Amino acid sequence: MAEKTLKVKGKDDLNKSLFTKNEDVNKNIYGADQMDVIGKSMSAGYGISPETQHDGGALRPESLDRDIKQETWSTQDFTIFNDIARQPSRSTVEKYIVYYDHGKVGHERFQPEVGIGNQTQPSLDQKTVNMKYLAATSQTSMVLQHSNVVADPIAVQEMGAINVLAKTIEWAIFYGDADLTRQEAGQGLQFDGLSKLIDKGNVIDVRGKGISPSLLNKAAVMIGKRGFGTATDAYMPIGIQADFVNKYLGAQRVVLPTQDGMQAGMNVDSFLSTRGRIRLNGSTIMDLDNVLDESKRPSQGAPLAPSVEAEVVLDQGGQFLAEDVVEGDNKHVVVPAEVGKDLKYRVVAVGHNGDSMPSDVISAKPANATDGIKLTITLDALSSEAPEYFAIYRQSLIDDENGDFYLVGRVAGNKLNGNQVEFVDTDDTIAGTADIFVLQNDAQVLNLFEFLPMTKLPLAVVTNATSFSVLWEGSLRLSFPKRVVRIKNVHYATGDDEFKFC
């Protein structure tokens, strides 16, 4: 039978049907001559540069969304930075007086009929706060400022600089340490944070267990009994707050109706302790800098990556976990045992001009819970400057063998002996866990001295670009060290825990 071609009316070849019935192969195929015609058609394409925008693509204008999609943290992620009281300062050194107690009490205050008894007097001390200086500098070319852009480039840089400083201040409120310097201890660039300023007796180490109502009550009682204060706030990573909420999901007996349907789940944003109501503040950024960012590239002038050697040392007062930490009715493992496991470390040299690349991974295996792992850190002789301190990171066993590296210790640059410094890991900090800070957050207890509030300073124009720096100058004051409790080594919510509340 002869081949038949299906055609439409008209003589325009472009309007011909592409389908041809081929009886020899008994199936539909595209006609080769028709495909050749269609292949010559003008099309838009997907090219995004002049080199790839040919023919019809050359007529297509670029369409760029004028909104910038921000995929990182923003002002809504700040917690204690927004809550903390500010106090203006007019001096680079501020002093204040701490009243510890009224004097001796008890049997000494009783006396016979005739007598005046022993002397008594209040116990006072004077504290000093040194102002610290933060800056974020940006530069924008004149050409960019006069170009047709989707957003004001200077405004974008201002927003970034302000957020960078605010994030730095929030982290330092928790973890700042003025001893981390190659100069004299206490004279470092950072101000001391809560983890450094609180009373040493106000630290609760839960060794990998999770948050619980009894734990918050314990912290509230400690603040009331040791500091004669009232806990008002608890600051924690959002994963720990989620773990607290998860513990109450089994107690939810009512599913609430809404306009869009039925709502399950709940949020717990406060806890009524024996010493008053504690507001629960879940943060997405408070411990962000305590996780090693292995993708970050070093800045120009940053120290070179150090080399590290590790060895196990017996009887160092270690606290390595000999057994798994489990929770829930299903005995879910929240923190694996560490004894007998290869513990992997990386070290970063932190300088004024930035961080070095992380060192190569080094590992050691503790055989006993009381062992210590000694790291010998050697500074590269070609480094342009000595680092302010060394940050020691250990890989978490919680997330399997590919877990993140978490900050477990810091050693000041002034501890260098020649070009080496040692650090002994006793598992004081369990990699993969985090902290909760419970405190009385009011202006009498805690505040930021502000020598200079957040300020934009235009810099001299020396090229065809304008520069500015956003500055903040101040420091943290904790007037009542016993009115803050640090709960350390708390595990995050994993989503696998199951609890029953009856």
Side-chain angles (χ1 to χ4, degrees):
M1 182 179 294
E3 185 180 275
K4 295 180 180 180
T5 302
L6 301 177
K7 299 182 180 180
V8 296
K9 294 181 179 180
K11 298 182 179 180
D12 189 351
D13 287 342
L14 289 179
N15 290 328
K16 291 181 178 179
S17 171
L18 296 177
F19 295 101
T20 301
K21 189 172 182 180
N22 191 324
E23 298 294 343
D24 296 333
V25 295
N26 196 28
K27 63 179 180 178
N28 293 334
I29 62 172
Y30 291 108
D33 53 341
Q34 287 86 354
M35 284 298 298
D36 182 61
V37 172
I38 292 300
K40 296 177 182 179
S41 300
M42 184 178 289
S43 58
Y46 296 103
I48 59 172
S49 65
E51 292 78 12
T52 58
Q53 288 181 252
H54 301 297
D55 301 326
L59 303 177
R60 178 176 51 79
E62 294 186 2
S63 177
L64 180 62
D65 190 344
R66 301 189 70 85
D67 291 331
I68 298 176
K69 310 304 180 186
Q70 183 172 313
E71 293 188 357
T72 185
W73 42 267
S74 61
T75 53
Q76 66 183 14
D77 293 296
F78 298 128
T79 53
I80 198 169
F81 177 80
N82 295 331
D83 298 340
I84 196 169
R86 268 81 167 169
Q87 180 172 334
S89 173
R90 293 294 177 264
S91 174
T92 57
V93 179
E94 289 282 354
K95 291 193 172 186
Y96 61 97
I97 298 172
V98 178
Y99 189 112
Y100 289 108
D101 61 59
H102 303 294
K104 294 182 179 180
V105 298
H107 184 71
E108 293 181 61
R109 302 282 66 82
F110 292 92
Q111 63 176 2
E113 180 181 351
V114 178
I116 58 173
N118 296 329
Q119 281 190 348
T120 182
Q121 61 185 16
S123 175
L124 301 97
D125 200 0
Q126 194 177 84
K127 298 290 184 180
T128 302
V129 177
N130 297 329
M131 298 300 112
K132 304 296 179 178
Y133 314 108
L134 284 77
T137 303
S138 299
Q139 189 177 69
T140 308
S141 76
M142 296 288 192
V143 174
L144 181 59
Q145 293 178 51
H146 290 84
S147 298
N148 181 20
V149 292
V150 298
D152 183 354
I154 293 182
V156 171
Q157 289 187 313
E158 285 180 358
M159 177 186 69
I162 291 171
N163 278 283
V164 162
L165 290 192
K167 167 66 177 65
T168 302
I169 295 169
E170 173 146 323
W171 174 85
I173 289 173
F174 296 116
Y175 298 109
D177 190 344
D179 288 339
L180 298 177
T181 175
R182 60 177 181 266
Q183 309 299 328
E184 182 182 351
Q187 301 302 312
L189 299 176
Q190 301 178 15
F191 57 77
D192 286 332
L194 294 177
S195 57
K196 181 89 175 291
L197 295 174
I198 65 173
D199 187 86
K200 301 305 180 187
N202 277 31
V203 178
I204 303 173
D205 190 350
V206 298
R207 307 304 302 162
K209 295 181 180 179
I211 186 175
S212 65
S214 59
L215 189 59
L216 291 178
N217 259 329
K218 183 177 181 179
V221 169
M222 186 175 287
I223 290 173
K225 193 172 182 180
R226 301 191 81 240
F228 303 99
T230 301
T232 62
D233 287 88
Y235 295 92
M236 66 199 76
I238 193 170
I240 294 179
Q241 185 186 15
D243 189 27
F244 190 74
V245 173
N246 288 346
K247 288 177 167 60
Y248 286 94
L249 290 179
Q252 186 186 16
R253 299 290 184 243
V254 179
V255 180
L256 301 176
T258 67
Q259 284 184 331
D260 300 321
M262 304 299 288
Q263 174 183 297
M266 59 189 297
N267 184 32
V268 181
D269 55 11
S270 66
F271 173 74
L272 187 59
S273 74
T274 55
R275 187 68 176 173
R277 187 178 300 277
I278 301 175
R279 190 164 59 107
L280 306 182
N281 303 279
S283 173
T284 59
I285 61 173
M286 68 175 284
D287 62 341
L288 191 63
D289 294 340
N290 294 344
V291 180
L292 177 62
D293 183 358
E294 300 182 63
S295 65
K296 186 167 66 174
R297 313 311 298 176
S299 305
Q300 185 177 3
L304 298 178
S307 58
V308 186
E309 296 179 355
E311 63 174 315
V312 177
V313 185
L314 300 177
D315 299 324
Q316 296 296 303
Q319 308 173 72
F320 291 100
L321 300 174
E323 298 179 351
D324 295 337
V325 179
V326 298
E327 281 195 358
D329 294 339
N330 61 352
K331 301 299 181 183
H332 173 67
V333 176
V334 292
V335 182
E338 298 163 328
V339 173
K341 304 282 184 65
D342 273 323
L343 303 183
K344 299 178 181 179
Y345 296 85
R346 302 191 80 174
V347 177
V348 173
V350 180
H352 182 222
N353 292 318
D355 300 352
S356 74
M357 289 287 290
S359 69
D360 293 336
V361 176
I362 194 76
S363 63
K365 183 184 297 185
N368 309 287
T370 57
D371 289 348
I373 298 178
K374 183 173 75 172
L375 302 181
T376 302
I377 305 165
T378 303
L379 179 65
D380 193 303
L382 298 179
S383 287
S384 58
E385 65 170 311
E388 296 287 334
Y389 66 93
F390 296 91
I392 294 90
Y393 296 86
R394 194 174 84 212
Q395 191 174 44
S396 170
L397 299 177
I398 299 172
D399 305 318
D400 68 36
E401 68 276 4
N402 297 316
D404 289 328
F405 283 79
Y406 287 78
L407 184 70
V408 295
R410 297 179 289 186
V411 182
N414 56 29
K415 302 294 185 183
L416 277 168
N417 184 9
N419 67 336
Q420 287 189 336
V421 67
E422 293 182 349
F423 171 79
V424 179
D425 182 18
T426 58
D427 205 36
D428 182 63
T429 299
I430 300 174
T433 63
D435 297 319
I436 303 171
F437 289 89
V438 183
L439 63 146
Q440 179 178 332
N441 190 5
D442 60 42
Q444 292 298 314
V445 176
L446 183 72
N447 55 57
L448 276 178
F449 278 120
E450 287 194 322
F451 186 71
L452 178 69
M454 205 83 75
T455 302
K456 178 184 175 183
L457 175 67
L459 301 178
V461 178
V462 295
T463 65
N464 60 340
T466 59
S467 303
F468 68 89
S469 187
V470 176
L471 308 176
W472 183 88
E473 299 172 359
S475 193
L476 180 71
R477 179 178 78 174
L478 178 61
S479 302
F480 296 85
K482 294 183 179 179
R483 294 187 184 177
V484 180
V485 170
R486 179 187 182 188
I487 307 172
K488 61 186 296 186
N489 291 320
V490 185
H491 84 78
Y492 291 82
T494 63
D496 297 325
D497 306 343
E498 293 182 4
F499 297 89
K500 291 183 178 179
F501 277 65
C502 298

